[in-house]
Amino acid sequence: MDKKIQDKISQLRLKGLGYKAIAAKLGLSRDTVRHYCRKNNLAGYADAVKLNHGEMLDNGIICQNCSAVLKQPEHGKKKRFCSDKCRLEWWSKNYELHNFGSEKVYSFICRGCGKKFTSYSNKSRKYCSHECYIKHRFGGQ
């Protein structure tokens, strides 16, 4: 089973659909769906799964990306993800949740092409891109 189908099963399960409904929608057997759900902490009554999943995410029991069970450290910051791969994948899917403070966004005019561009957390940018820098500095090629 590929990652795309696994993600679809998880999404449908968290919306409150049962094993049969998911299987019919995706053209899989009910047992395949049930096996995947049990393996990934999505087993039980669909409504209860929907509520419990949110609670487990909030309490740091499962990974925010893949729903794998997390082993929390005794001291220090709680983990939100089971691995760096999951962390990067989740942040790339949820880019709008990044906390880009407006005080860290700077506006410039490119010295190469004259276009207006913004830069996050870099006050000294002069060019909108590396290509623009090369063309302006070393001449067009």
Side-chain angles (χ1 to χ4, degrees):
M1 185 180 323
D2 66 346
K3 181 80 171 135
K4 198 174 184 181
I5 292 176
Q6 291 174 351
D7 289 343
K8 195 70 178 165
I9 291 172
S10 296
Q11 288 172 0
L12 293 172
R13 189 68 175 151
L14 293 175
K15 286 182 182 176
L17 270 67
Y19 302 136
K20 285 182 186 178
I22 295 170
K25 229 175 206 185
L26 300 178
L28 301 169
S29 73
R30 180 189 65 91
D31 290 332
T32 303
V33 173
R34 192 181 80 201
H35 175 73
Y36 173 79
C37 290
R38 283 186 176 178
K39 187 177 172 186
N40 292 287
N41 299 318
L42 298 170
Y45 292 109
D47 293 334
V49 167
K50 191 174 173 181
L51 293 173
N52 289 340
H53 191 267
E55 204 172 292
M56 287 192 291
L57 280 174
D58 293 342
N59 293 332
I61 297 171
I62 58 175
C63 175
Q64 286 195 335
N65 188 49
C66 69
S67 299
V69 177
L70 294 175
K71 184 178 179 190
Q72 294 293 350
E74 288 184 35
H75 305 287
K77 189 176 177 181
K78 280 188 163 188
K79 288 183 177 183
R80 288 176 56 193
F81 305 100
C82 61
S83 65
D84 284 339
K85 181 184 172 196
C86 274
R87 178 179 53 81
L88 292 171
E89 193 176 301
W90 189 86
W91 277 112
S92 66
K93 282 189 234 172
N94 298 286
Y95 183 76
E96 69 279 355
L97 297 177
H98 279 281
N99 187 15
F100 294 125
S102 59
E103 69 276 356
K104 293 182 180 180
V105 178
Y106 304 99
S107 294
F108 301 102
I109 295 176
C110 179
R111 289 187 181 177
C113 64
K115 291 181 184 174
K116 193 173 185 178
F117 70 96
T118 59
S119 173
Y120 175 72
S121 190
N122 187 348
K123 296 178 191 177
S124 60
R125 293 253 326 247
K126 297 172 186 164
Y127 300 95
C128 62
S129 66
H130 183 69
E131 292 80 20
C132 226
Y133 162 73
I134 296 296
K135 284 180 186 174
H136 186 254
R137 181 84 195 272
F138 302 109
Q141 295 171 352

